Amino acid sequence: MDALKAVERFSDNPEADDKVLRLVMGEVDLPNIEFEEMEPGLRNNVLIHVLFNNKKEDPTGSDAALIKYLPGAFVPLHLHRGYEMVLVLQGEYIENGEVHSPGSLIIRAPGTTHSMRSNSGCVILAMRDIPVKQLT
């Protein structure tokens, strides 16, 4: 992993640049939004509703989506080559063992790695400026 970070030219401790803010929010209503399976076989029990996806025009482009984790969902370890911003809208979202509730705004710096899951299910708003690299 450290060799990969050195090749990609990330800082020695990218997690130090991560930020987590706790916002006070009311209930979020997601009316009539259709979700589809996200990367079947890689992401288990994860659904997506794409808001925009610039990766079609540029493989290094940005994207944003509403992502629904069904109960027991899991996403394996991956590396962020660019920034990622996640806002938890509903339920409990767990990254690297840390539980985030609705109103949690998580900003991950380039070079960070994480896996995610939800025991009870959740919905997040996620935006990445560069696609991730799967590690497992």
Side-chain angles (χ1 to χ4, degrees), residues 61-109:
S62 61
D63 61 2
L66 293 170
I67 302 174
K68 180 184 281 190
Y69 288 69
L70 302 175
F74 177 76
V75 175
L77 187 68
H78 55 272
L79 168 75
H80 283 273
R81 294 175 165 167
Y83 284 96
E84 177 189 51
M85 184 170 61
V86 170
L87 176 60
V88 181
L89 302 174
Q90 299 173 343
E92 285 189 339
Y93 172 72
I94 304 167
E95 279 190 359
N96 293 341
E98 185 177 348
V99 177
H100 299 282
S101 56
S104 295
L105 176 65
I106 307 148
I107 302 169
R108 300 287 180 212

Side-chain angles (χ1 to χ4, degrees), residues 37-133:
E37 269 191 284
M38 182 178 185
E39 300 174 330
L42 178 64
R43 297 174 184 254
N44 298 320
N45 295 324
V46 180
L47 308 175
I48 187 168
H49 175 86
V50 176
L51 299 171
F52 72 82
N53 184 354
N54 291 327
K55 293 184 295 185
K56 293 175 185 174
E57 296 82 26
D58 176 2
T60 62
S62 61
D63 61 2
L66 293 170
I67 302 174
K68 180 184 281 190
Y69 288 69
L70 302 175
F74 177 76
V75 175
L77 187 68
H78 55 272
L79 168 75
H80 283 273
R81 294 175 165 167
Y83 284 96
E84 177 189 51
M85 184 170 61
V86 170
L87 176 60
V88 181
L89 302 174
Q90 299 173 343
E92 285 189 339
Y93 172 72
I94 304 167
E95 279 190 359
N96 293 341
E98 185 177 348
V99 177
H100 299 282
S101 56
S104 295
L105 176 65
I106 307 148
I107 302 169
R108 300 287 180 212
T112 58
T113 59
H114 62 168
S115 61
M116 297 90 73
R117 64 185 171 89
S118 182
N119 297 332
S120 58
C122 68
V123 177
I124 64 171
L125 169 62
M127 182 176 167
R128 303 177 296 192
D129 66 346
I130 299 175
V132 301
K133 180 174 186 165

